[in-house]
Amino acid sequence: MRKPIIAANWKMYKNIAQTKEFCNQLKSLMVDNDAESIIFAPFTLLPTLTELLAGTQVAIGAQNFYPVEEGAYTGEISLMMLKDFAVSYVLVGHSERRVLFQEDDALIHQKILAAYDKGFSVILCCGETLEERELGKAKEKCINQIKNALQGLTEEQIAKVVIAYEPIWAIGTGKTATSEDAEDMIGAIRKFLMESFGAQIADRVRILYGGSVKPDNVGELMAQKNIDGALVGGASLEAESYNLLLRYKERM
Ligand code: PGA
């Protein structure tokens, strides 16, 4: 059985006061549930989250890092620095990093290797543009991104990776892929994993959907056979809405 994940991607939102308010509200609302909950937060909020989420079910993730030990990399943060906080996950290959900050498949691959080496769990994002979807190239694009990211990893490392399928045209636009389209792509990713690495690995890898997920549509998405969770931007910023996402079962 694959444990579901409901992950929040806060992107470049919130200061410390807003984060304190979120955590206090979430703690007062949250009940035990079977989903793994992760908040990917900006670096400046990691100390606050480490303190306020201690002893809760909510894990903390970093949205970025630079994959070398240390050195002259002005403005960057290393994995060793993240170890000062209760960060267990890192996000890799998000389309905003690929497009706005020119992160390519080679860097993404290096980031995954470095993260595993330092004991972090990884969510690897993939996704196509609207143009690629209209040209019938969506599956090829996503599968190539995954193939390039995972090349040369051990079976154990591949089985541990979490993949997030996030069509670029659905991120922050209010346009969600239909649950059938999301299932179709995620099913194709699982088939690729099966053909490349075997059924045991393909059955273990958790694959999430991301792109305008909200409390209203999370139940339908989570009801799909291959969809193991959601990576949520906008709708994860308010504690009330994030709590509703964690309680997706009530809307399935
Ligand atoms: P969104 O963002 O939920 O605001 O569309 C998702 C993401 O970028 O991870």
Side-chain angles (χ1 to χ4, degrees), residues 9 11 94-96 166 170-174 210-213 231-235:
N9 176 11
K11 309 193 179 186
H94 192 282
S95 61
E96 285 154 18
E166 297 205 306
I171 297 179
T173 56
S212 297
V213 177
L231 177 58
V232 189

Side-chain angles (χ1 to χ4, degrees), residues 190-202:
R190 203 172 302 285
K191 182 159 167 270
F192 158 76
L193 294 173
M194 170 106 78
E195 288 165 359
S196 310
F197 312 111
Q200 274 203 341
I201 289 183

